[in-house]
């Protein structure tokens, strides 16, 4: 059904062809808005849908909170392993935020206006305050416990994108998140125990 609409609309006037090609994939009675593309919908690799946009909009504040947590470890953590893990989190997620923002810009989508606290794994204000007030071994235990939950939320979000997204670079990032953060969850669980 969607391909029929695409073909029918593509036959429209040449002056509005690019607008028609963009909107052709935006509809669908029973499918998500698939087919948005920066290049007229011809390349599957650069086609994105609403799930890709939602992933980028949600993962930015999710990653930002992980970075805020990791930054606290610099002068509060007791164990070197916790500081090293926090550094790894910063090195991975900082560049991912920049990539997610660039995709939203390319797609003409806004970053979003929510703090993301309703997303899986996000810390509440009370939990973040608990982490900010802790130090030493108490910080290490709280950091590991809360970051495990935070990572589990990111893995859940990334898994959903793998199933529902269409933008291949975003799906590749999602696969990387599932792999790297699942590994870090195992590492943190060992440290916590």
């Amino acid at each position: 059904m969607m391909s029929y609409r695409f073909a029918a609309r593509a036959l429209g006037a040449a002056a509005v062809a690019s607008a028609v090609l963009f909107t052709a994939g935006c509809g669908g009675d029973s499918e998500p808005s698939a087919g948005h593309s920066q290049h007229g919908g011809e390349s599957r690799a650069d086609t994105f849908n609403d799930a890709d946009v939602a992933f980028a909009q949600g993962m930015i504040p999710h990653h930002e909170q992980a970075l805020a947590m990791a930054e606290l470890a610099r002068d509060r953590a007791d164990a070197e392993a916790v500081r090293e893990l926090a550094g790894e989190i910063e090195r991975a997620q900082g560049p991912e935020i920049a990539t997610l923002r660039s995709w939203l810009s390319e797609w003409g989508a806004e970053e979003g206006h929510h703090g993301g606290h309703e997303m899986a794994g996000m810390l509440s204000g009370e939990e973040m305050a608990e982490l900010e007030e802790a130090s030493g071994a108490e910080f290490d235990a709280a950091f590991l416990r809360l970051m495990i939950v935070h990572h589990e939320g990111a893995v859940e979000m990334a898994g959903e994108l793998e199933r529902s997204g269409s933008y291949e670079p975003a799906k590749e990032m999602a696969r990387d998140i599932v792999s790297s953060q699942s590994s870090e969850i195992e590492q943190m669980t060992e440290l916590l125990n």
Side-chain angles (χ1 to χ4, degrees):
M1 178 179 271
M2 188 174 290
S3 61
Y4 173 76
R5 280 195 202 121
F6 180 87
R9 291 182 181 168
L11 296 174
V16 294
S18 63
V20 170
L21 288 171
F22 180 80
T23 59
C26 292
D29 297 331
S30 61
E31 299 178 33
S33 297
H36 301 290
S37 175
Q38 295 167 257
H39 302 290
E42 296 174 7
S43 171
R44 289 190 181 103
D46 64 5
T47 300
F48 66 94
N49 64 16
D50 291 343
D52 298 306
V53 174
F55 172 76
Q57 289 172 328
M59 197 56 78
I60 289 170
H62 206 277
H63 274 13
E64 285 175 336
Q65 187 175 69
L67 292 181
M69 295 168 69
E71 187 176 326
L72 292 173
R74 291 181 196 160
D75 59 2
R76 288 175 172 80
D78 183 51
E80 181 62 28
V82 172
R83 284 193 295 275
E84 286 176 6
L85 176 67
E88 290 172 17
I89 290 168
E90 288 182 289
R91 286 187 293 276
Q93 296 192 25
E96 286 177 349
I97 290 171
T99 299
L100 292 162
R101 284 190 169 130
S102 73
W103 291 340
L104 289 174
S105 176
E106 289 169 13
W107 299 337
E110 294 192 15
E111 192 167 312
H113 304 291
H114 58 81
H117 296 286
E118 71 280 2
M119 290 181 298
M122 289 292 282
L123 273 62
S124 66
E126 294 79 15
E127 289 170 321
M128 198 68 189
E130 172 193 347
L131 196 59
E132 289 169 352
E133 293 167 10
S135 62
E138 181 188 354
F139 175 87
D140 293 352
F143 176 86
L144 293 168
R145 179 175 47 81
L146 294 170
M147 190 62 84
I148 287 169
V149 174
H150 200 271
H151 272 26
E152 287 170 343
V155 168
E156 180 182 322
M157 292 166 65
E160 178 58 35
L161 190 277
E162 283 186 274
R163 291 185 293 276
S164 304
S166 65
Y167 187 61
E168 191 53 42
K171 292 176 77 168
E172 183 177 341
M173 179 186 284
R175 287 189 290 271
D176 289 344
I177 287 170
V178 169
S179 174
S180 64
Q181 294 200 22
S182 294
S183 176
E184 288 175 350
I185 288 168
E186 290 178 16
Q187 181 184 354
M188 289 186 288
T189 301
E190 289 177 11
L191 288 170
L192 194 56
N193 293 334

